[in-house]
Amino acid sequence: METKLEVSTICLPNDPQNGESQKDDNDQLFGAEYEIGSSYKPSEMKGDMQHKEVPCAVCFQKKKTVLLMIPGRKTCYKGWTSEYSGFLMTDYKTFSSKEYACVDKDAEPLDNKNGNENGALFYGIRTKCGSLKCPPYKNATDVRCVVCTK
């Protein structure tokens, strides 16, 4: 029987209330880095953000009750309001877990730190025809996304 682990991206506060220091070797909470240098950067994304830290963002809209991320689109459907559009990202294709995030096309780094710590990694992804039907999709293209509210 194969064990599968679910991984999720979490947004951490800037003012943590830390627990006690431990001696065991079970460190599993990492920061996130963009891996979107020239070869993995979606064509419409600005700047080279290779190894830059990913800031946390939370979408909140007063009087709107539904937030929906739509992969494969850059605009919302009629009746929905676009909060931002960007590119679908996840870790590298050979890594075991996949959680997708819609990263704003105008994404910015947390700071100018440029270390390669390889915690959680955000790569721009491309389509692969086969089980993904082409058309309507096209092979080896950036995957757009949009975050919509209603």
Side-chain angles (χ1 to χ4, degrees):
M1 182 170 147
E2 182 180 325
T3 302
K4 293 192 177 196
L5 302 175
E6 289 293 320
V7 176
S8 60
T9 303
I10 56 176
C11 216
L12 296 171
N14 291 329
D15 57 345
Q17 296 172 318
N18 294 308
E20 298 297 319
S21 181
Q22 301 294 325
K23 293 180 180 168
D24 63 356
D25 185 24
N26 194 27
D27 47 347
Q28 297 183 49
L29 187 60
F30 302 94
E33 295 174 3
Y34 291 115
E35 289 290 328
I36 49 178
S38 60
S39 62
Y40 293 105
K41 184 173 78 71
S43 58
E44 296 174 38
M45 204 166 202
K46 67 178 185 178
D48 179 4
M49 296 205 304
Q50 185 73 19
H51 304 307
K52 300 286 187 199
E53 294 182 10
V54 178
C56 196
V58 175
C59 191
F60 172 76
Q61 286 290 331
K62 278 186 172 184
K63 299 183 181 180
K64 295 185 180 177
T65 58
V66 180
L67 180 104
L68 174 67
M69 187 274 285
I70 307 173
R73 290 190 55 88
K74 61 182 180 178
T75 60
C76 297
Y77 291 105
K78 186 177 180 180
W80 291 79
T81 302
S82 176
E83 299 301 328
Y84 69 91
S85 67
F87 298 93
L88 203 61
M89 295 191 178
T90 191
D91 52 12
Y92 195 67
K93 64 183 179 181
T94 59
F95 296 175
S96 62
S97 297
K98 295 287 182 263
E99 178 173 313
Y100 297 94
C102 185
V103 176
D104 193 323
K105 65 181 174 23
D106 297 320
E108 298 177 354
L110 178 63
D111 53 30
N112 284 324
K113 184 180 175 200
N114 202 20
N116 184 10
E117 298 174 10
N118 288 329
L121 303 175
F122 282 56
Y123 286 86
I125 62 172
R126 311 286 183 270
T127 54
K128 175 71 173 162
C129 291
S131 58
L132 179 66
K133 298 301 177 201
C134 298
Y137 291 92
K138 293 180 182 177
N139 195 49
T141 60
D142 296 326
V143 181
R144 299 298 305 250
C145 59
V146 63
V147 173
C148 308
T149 54
K150 191 171 193 175

